[in-house]
Amino acid sequence: MPTHTFVLNGKSVTVDVADEERLLWVLRDVLGVRGPKYGCGINVCKACTSHFNGRGFNPCAVPVGALKPTDEVTTIEGLAGSVGRDLHPMQEAWLEHDVAQCGYCQPGQIMMAVAVVNRAKRAGREITEADLDNIRNVCRCGTYSKIRDAIEDGAQRMGAG
Amino acid sequence: MSDEPSADPTTAPRQVSRRSFVGYLLAGSTVVAAAEIGLGNTPSAEAALPTVAVPADIYDLTDAQGDAALPTQGLIKVQVNKDGTASFELPRAEVGQGIETAFAMIVAEELDLPVEKVHVTLAPARPELLMNQITGGSASIFVLFTPVRVAAAIARQALLRAAAIQLGSVVDRLRSKAGEIIAPDGRTLSYGELAEKAAGVDTTAIRVTLKDTSDFTVIGTRQRRLDARDAITGRKRYAMDLDVPGALPAMICRPPTLNGTVRAIRNAAEVKAMPGVTHVVTVPTGVAVRAKTFGQCIDAIRALKVDWNAGLVASASDESVLVELKRAELPLLVPSVPLLTKVRDFDFTFYFRSGSPLEPNCAVADVRADRATIWASAKVPVVAVQEIAGKLGLPMSKVRFNVVEGGGSFGRKLFHDGALEAARVSKACGAPVRLMWHRADEPRQGRQHPIATSRIRVAHLAGNILSFEQRHTSVVTDFKHGFGDVITATAARLPFGDVALSQAIFLLTQFVPYDFGLVTQTLTESNQHFNTSAVRNIYSPDVRAASELVIDQLAKETGKDPVVFRREHLRKPRVRRVLDKVVAEGKWGRPMPAGTAQGVAIHEEYKGASACLVEIDCRPETVNRPIRDGVGGPRVTKVVYAIDPGVAVNPLGLEAQMHGGIMDGIALALTASCHLEDGHFLEASWDNYPYTRQWNVPGDVKVFVMPSDNPPGGGGEAGVAAAFSAVACAYTRAVGALPKYFPINHKDPLFWEPKPFVPPVPASPTDGLEHLI
Ligand code: FES
Ligand code: FES
């Protein structure tokens, strides 16, 4: 089987799996990285949201063969480390607002929140209500209002941090 | 109980203070204190050591002897550890409702220990607990509040006694604070130092007095979830995240029609030869594949060629089921009413809905010839053990069921569908498995909240309501989880056993909280061939939404404001109080632009009272706002919710549960249902089943937890009925027409293309890198 090398949470990893194996299963079943969750497998629920070279993406919809050795994949486990802290400012906001209920969607929610805030930053603007409305991540526990509050708070903290 | 006259004062139980209870210090190497489950629900004071009564056919003599030797097994225990922490194994499921945190607070309160030092874990299935190991009906806090306090208070008492000896003092002169015992001269001993010295030598009954509620310093404070950090760092482990040696991924190729069965696999050998695939086996629910990754399982399922037998509802559709329900509907009785009485009939339909959490059904199973171990989230693990043992041909004592934190439940985890399948697949493969349902399986083959009609007839004369009759007619709701009782669960499998149980549950949960003269409410059920379960709040969301809508109509006909009308007819001051709160906080009656409106509703359940006020925007520019792959529709813009839950152990956690109920209520009223066509449900994705998403979330949600002296009630389900009803009422007022069915978009053209039924699961996309955020 072909080998694939990419950077995972700051460290280069090499796996021996078929090209078309989706990255979600490479992470969860081959590498044992269990933070990104399965909720649909078809890029709809966003529970698996992680970062690809600093941008939000969904590993359930990416064949591992598409990755280059220099590509950086960050999962929830590596988020705080990516900014050299124990907790990312967005995670701090999540704690502050006591967002999680069952918690199953929350790794994906946080990774998406950071991506949405960074996208606004890249565009040189603040996040908007429309940005929040357009977040597709499902939370079946219904923590949506707290997620909105936490993202606004986290965006402030990211700006200050 | 104290109010009841006693026939013979000499034999009446001795009256004791409601705060004084007896529990046990158990023999052990460290402090282990225990109380009977259910303590506090009866005034029995001088409890003897409990005996465990169980029917012989499900629990044999050997088991009973084992338990007779351990009379304290049926107790719940709080332990103080040598490191100064306390441990409590909770015989309930944590599925997001926050009971681990709530019970840590309860232990911390009576033990005088910081909350962070209390470790709450989930108990595995404990068959000896029988009815006392069910997480359902939002009853956990109600049932366990007192016993857990008693156990913690006894542990504290034991520590005080040991400290008195150490410090050469007496218990009454010592005090406990934040994990230390403090002598009048300032000397201190930590709980850790005392844990072994205070250990019981044998089982000793101890009387303790619980704290007065006015002395609470932990209960009633806003406590963040203790597992929050694990959840937000990805460290929290759900069943699918467990590393059980050899437990490879497994999934099931399911039939194209509901509950179809396998006739033949045409290419088993070919699929077994696919990369990573280790097994292809037939189980009652389909063809199971086991492989090195779930990706390989999905590929294998898509490659399988299977001949299927159709299920029992092979050609059923929403319409055909509704015809059956109509046939089953009981007639409304025209009451004999005075001349000039107005008699009004109303009829609502509530379509099928999926209660599936974000975490699909899943479980890890390691089944060997002589024993089995299961890891899964389950709210009635004792019933799960009973059924799994039966299906595997093992004695119950050889099945260990480890209860894992669940990624949501909403009624689903009252059942153990994933665990049973995992056990069967593990047995068939002769190897451990980590089994997962595909998302597409959930609405298509998973349990649905049943389709129902609710008809109401009201008679009123000169502003007075003379009668209120409600006839709820529903596809059978599966209650085989038996509300925790192994015995009931067995009885429910008898023909029509469920029906009687549903009736009981309907009657135990439904009532009309208004004074409306002659009131009747009945449940009739029809068709037991669907996979159903009660979804969060069981019958109440539908029954109450129908009632509250009718109440608005009555208010209109009698020329009254909806709030005034409700206030005039509500029976309990407690309900009026929450209604008044939302009316004031939500500025009821403020001027609203055309096409927008307020709606209000109340609900009483789980020993609590709720009121909800919402504002909705039904203007075309809002309804038709563009949403990619989703429903826009009317948008709820504001929600004000007030709940009197009795004593709220953790108001912050309770608020979170109301948020969940509100989002559920919005979905039930406006967006979320499953469509039955040709014997299968069309939905197969979160983009087909529009549970509330961010674009439908109100910008303004406020929850008020009212101070209350009533005993602690339930929170997990309490938010749904009032929220659904208030949204339905607001929508009706905004558009000026009473809906006939819910959700209101059920008959709109689908905004999505149904996914194929063969193969039963869609391929994962490959274009993820083209959609970076
Ligand atoms: S699992 Fe990746 S988006 Fe749902
Ligand atoms: S917290 Fe449970 S799904 Fe979001």
Side-chain angles (χ1 to χ4, degrees):
Chain A
M1 244 185 251
T3 61
H4 305 275
T5 299
F6 58 97
V7 180
L8 174 62
N9 294 330
K11 289 198 194 92
S12 178
V13 293
T14 299
V15 289
D16 196 1
V17 285
D19 285 356
E20 56 285 358
E21 183 71 77
R22 304 303 188 273
L23 184 59
L24 179 61
W25 306 120
V26 174
L27 294 171
R28 289 186 53 89
D29 297 339
V30 180
L31 296 166
V33 176
R34 302 271 158 82
K37 299 298 181 220
Y38 167 87
C40 71
I42 53 171
N43 205 352
V44 161
C45 75
K46 308 291 173 179
C48 66
T49 306
S50 300
H51 293 170
F52 177 83
N53 295 332
R55 311 262 309 264
F57 87 119
N58 291 88
C60 69
V62 174
V64 66
L67 268 56
K68 298 190 295 296
T70 51
D71 284 332
E72 294 188 16
V73 173
T74 307
T75 65
I76 188 72
E77 287 91 340
L79 178 67
S82 72
V83 291
R85 300 164 60 140
D86 280 350
L87 282 181
H88 188 278
M90 194 60 80
Q91 289 170 312
E92 286 172 358
W94 240 253
L95 286 184
E96 181 67 30
H97 293 264
D98 202 41
V99 175
Q101 286 189 32
C102 82
Y104 194 83
C105 72
Q106 302 297 348
Q109 301 279 6
I110 292 169
M111 296 306 279
M112 182 60 79
V114 172
V116 167
V117 171
N118 282 334
R119 181 182 59 191
K121 269 191 184 172
R122 283 197 306 274
R125 60 174 178 84
E126 304 271 300
I127 47 159
T128 61
E129 286 296 309
D131 285 332
L132 299 179
D133 273 6
N134 286 330
I135 291 177
R136 301 190 69 87
N137 297 51
V138 172
C139 175
R140 187 59 184 74
C141 296
T143 66
Y144 295 113
S145 302
K146 292 195 179 205
I147 288 172
R148 294 172 90 98
D149 292 347
I151 294 177
E152 281 169 8
D153 182 358
Q156 296 293 324
R157 292 169 192 249
M158 282 168 70
Chain B
M1 222 29 120
S2 57
D3 299 340
E4 283 173 23
S6 182
D8 177 0
T10 58
T11 58
R14 196 157 57 83
Q15 208 55 61
V16 293
S17 145
R18 288 207 343 264
R19 290 198 290 125
S20 176
F21 293 94
V22 174
Y24 312 98
L25 181 64
L26 307 183
S29 60
T30 176
V31 174
V32 185
E36 279 178 83
I37 290 183
L39 192 68
N41 289 342
T42 60
S44 131
E46 306 290 352
L49 283 179
T51 49
V52 179
V54 286
D57 55 343
I58 53 154
Y59 201 70
D60 69 21
L61 188 60
T62 318
D63 295 324
Q65 280 170 317
D67 284 346
L70 289 168
T72 51
Q73 257 198 5
L75 303 173
I76 49 135
K77 298 167 210 160
V78 170
Q79 174 165 336
V80 179
N81 305 309
K82 281 181 272 180
D83 62 359
T85 61
S87 312
F88 170 51
E89 216 179 53
L90 176 64
R92 291 292 183 274
E94 169 65 64
V95 289
Q97 79 281 45
I99 53 172
E100 285 173 337
T101 303
F103 279 103
M105 293 172 73
I106 295 168
V107 171
E109 181 72 71
E110 291 291 347
L111 198 48
D112 283 335
L113 192 64
V115 179
E116 318 73 73
K117 290 206 171 179
V118 182
H119 303 307
V120 178
T121 53
L122 304 182
R126 292 175 58 186
E128 80 282 3
L129 293 183
L130 282 178
M131 286 181 280
N132 286 320
Q133 194 170 10
I134 169 166
T135 314
S138 295
S140 299
I141 302 269
F142 180 72
V143 173
L144 294 179
F145 186 63
T146 303
V148 173
R149 289 176 68 196
V150 169
I154 283 168
R156 177 178 160 274
Q157 189 68 20
L159 293 165
L160 280 167
R161 287 180 185 187
I165 295 168
Q166 294 287 306
L167 296 167
S169 184
V170 290
V171 166
D172 285 354
R173 305 199 55 198
L174 303 175
R175 52 193 190 93
S176 54
K177 197 182 167 200
E180 288 188 327
I181 307 285
I182 306 161
D185 60 10
R187 282 179 301 156
T188 62
L189 283 171
S190 72
Y191 286 5
E193 289 171 278
L194 292 164
E196 283 177 301
K197 299 194 177 75
V201 178
D202 48 25
T203 299
T204 319
I206 294 187
R207 171 176 294 284
V208 284
T209 302
L210 301 181
K211 279 190 185 172
D212 190 87
T213 49
S214 62
D215 294 331
F216 283 167
T217 57
V218 182
I219 291 172
T221 60
R222 296 167 67 81
Q223 174 70 44
R224 293 184 197 150
R225 291 181 66 103
L226 295 174
D227 60 356
R229 202 177 169 105
D230 284 348
I232 60 137
T233 52
R235 278 201 299 266
K236 185 165 173 179
R237 289 284 174 261
Y238 305 85
M240 276 191 285
D241 302 330
L242 300 177
D243 282 311
V244 173
L248 290 187
M251 288 175 79
I252 294 193
C253 176
R254 296 179 196 276
T257 55
L258 191 64
N259 296 335
T261 53
V262 178
R263 196 182 316 142
I265 312 175
R266 278 188 269 135
N267 61 345
E270 195 184 303
V271 172
K272 179 136 186 276
M274 288 174 68
V277 176
T278 64
H279 295 80
V280 176
V281 295
T282 301
V283 290
T285 43
V287 179
V289 290
R290 180 176 177 271
K292 294 219 170 73
T293 70
F294 281 110
Q296 291 165 335
C297 289
I298 292 172
D299 291 345
I301 288 175
R302 290 180 55 79
L304 272 169
K305 295 200 172 16
V306 183
D307 296 328
W308 300 98
N309 301 309
L312 286 172
V313 288
S315 57
S317 64
D318 284 340
E319 294 72 35
S320 73
V321 178
L322 270 176
V323 168
E324 277 181 64
L325 290 182
K326 286 278 158 216
R327 234 181 269 140
E329 282 176 349
L330 288 184
L332 288 154
L333 312 167
V334 183
S336 60
V337 286
L339 212 62
L340 301 179
T341 301
K342 289 193 180 134
V343 177
R344 290 281 178 266
D345 283 359
F346 303 90
D347 193 347
F348 305 97
T349 298
F350 301 89
Y351 285 95
F352 282 108
R353 287 139 283 179
S354 168
S356 176
L358 185 56
E359 172 194 51
N361 280 337
C362 60
V364 180
D366 183 356
V367 177
R368 307 291 171 95
D370 59 344
R371 65 182 190 279
T373 313
I374 315 287
W375 293 259
S377 171
K379 296 176 109 183
V380 202
V382 178
V383 174
V385 167
Q386 187 197 0
E387 180 164 20
I388 290 169
K391 292 285 176 357
L392 296 177
L394 289 172
M396 274 175 79
S397 58
K398 294 296 179 195
V399 176
R400 180 171 170 95
F401 196 111
N402 297 306
V403 179
V404 184
E405 271 88 353
S409 168
F410 319 109
R412 268 301 171 85
K413 283 170 176 135
L414 288 164
F415 294 87
H416 44 269
D417 301 315
L420 176 59
E421 268 184 346
R424 280 172 154 155
V425 175
S426 174
K427 181 174 173 159
C429 295
V433 297
R434 190 153 57 91
L435 178 127
M436 170 181 102
W437 283 40
H438 194 281
R439 173 57 48 198
D441 299 336
E442 286 283 350
R444 288 193 165 170
Q445 297 288 344
R447 295 177 183 274
Q448 299 264 348
H449 190 86
I451 185 171
T453 64
S454 222
R455 287 173 312 137
I456 295 176
R457 172 170 294 172
V458 196
H460 65 95
L461 176 64
N464 293 315
I465 311 302
L466 305 180
S467 68
F468 186 97
E469 299 170 90
Q470 186 162 20
R471 303 278 176 273
H472 200 70
T473 312
S474 173
V475 154
V476 173
T477 307
D478 188 348
F479 280 113
K480 280 200 284 287
H481 57 79
F483 255 51
D485 185 342
V486 179
I487 302 151
T488 327
T490 310
R493 288 213 178 76
L494 304 172
F496 306 114
D498 294 39
V499 174
L501 192 54
S502 314
Q503 289 288 356
I505 289 169
F506 184 83
L507 294 171
L508 285 170
T509 55
Q510 300 312 313
F511 66 99
V512 175
Y514 301 95
D515 278 323
F516 278 166
L518 176 72
V519 171
T520 61
Q521 282 181 304
T522 62
L523 169 72
T524 309
E525 292 187 311
S526 169
N527 196 329
Q528 48 188 340
H529 300 307
F530 289 95
N531 304 332
T532 60
S533 70
V535 172
R536 199 178 198 177
N537 207 189
I538 320 186
Y539 297 109
S540 301
D542 298 355
V543 172
R544 294 290 303 128
S547 308
E548 292 287 300
L549 283 165
V550 167
I551 285 157
D552 268 8
Q553 295 303 307
L554 292 177
K556 199 157 121 192
E557 285 196 18
T558 53
K560 295 243 163 83
D561 171 84
V563 168
V564 173
F565 184 85
R566 281 177 174 79
R567 283 194 104 269
E568 282 176 4
H569 291 88
L570 275 173
R571 271 202 295 277
K572 294 193 192 148
R574 201 178 171 196
V575 188
R576 278 198 291 272
R577 205 163 66 101
V578 286
L579 176 60
D580 290 348
K581 180 73 177 172
V582 298
V583 162
E585 298 287 348
K587 301 192 171 53
W588 172 257
R590 79 182 182 91
M592 301 275 292
T596 71
Q598 293 180 314
V600 72
I602 57 95
H603 184 58
E604 222 189 313
E605 199 173 356
Y606 311 117
K607 315 272 175 210
S610 287
C612 184
L613 181 153
V614 310
E615 291 184 359
I616 199 168
D617 183 350
C618 300
R619 291 175 292 190
E621 60 271 29
T622 298
V623 171
N624 301 322
R625 69 199 186 280
I627 304 285
R628 171 173 73 80
D629 298 328
V631 257
R635 187 158 185 181
V636 176
T637 49
K638 177 175 177 167
V639 179
V640 181
Y641 198 101
I643 179 166
D644 166 357
V647 169
V649 173
N650 181 7
L652 185 60
L654 198 88
E655 255 172 56
Q657 291 308 300
M658 297 311 110
H659 276 262
I662 290 164
M663 299 308 152
D664 284 15
I666 291 171
L668 292 174
L670 303 178
T671 61
S673 59
C674 288
H675 296 76
L676 180 67
E677 234 179 77
D678 287 335
H680 38 224
F681 288 102
L682 301 183
E683 283 70 13
S685 156
W686 288 111
D687 277 358
N688 303 165
Y689 182 74
Y691 179 71
T692 305
R693 304 276 279 270
Q694 281 292 7
W695 51 84
N696 285 327
V697 170
D700 187 2
V701 177
K702 284 197 184 66
V703 177
F704 297 92
V705 177
M706 312 283 279
S708 177
D709 292 333
N710 290 298
E717 301 167 89
V720 188
F724 177 10
S725 305
V727 175
C729 289
Y731 173 79
T732 304
R733 283 161 56 88
V735 301
L738 189 62
K740 290 238 157 301
Y741 56 84
F742 290 97
I744 55 154
N745 70 334
H746 185 78
K747 294 185 188 171
D748 294 355
L750 298 181
F751 61 90
W752 42 275
E753 192 66 36
K755 296 193 192 305
F757 288 87
V758 181
V761 302
S764 291
T766 53
D767 61 351
L769 293 183
E770 291 162 34
H771 304 286
L772 299 181
I773 306 271

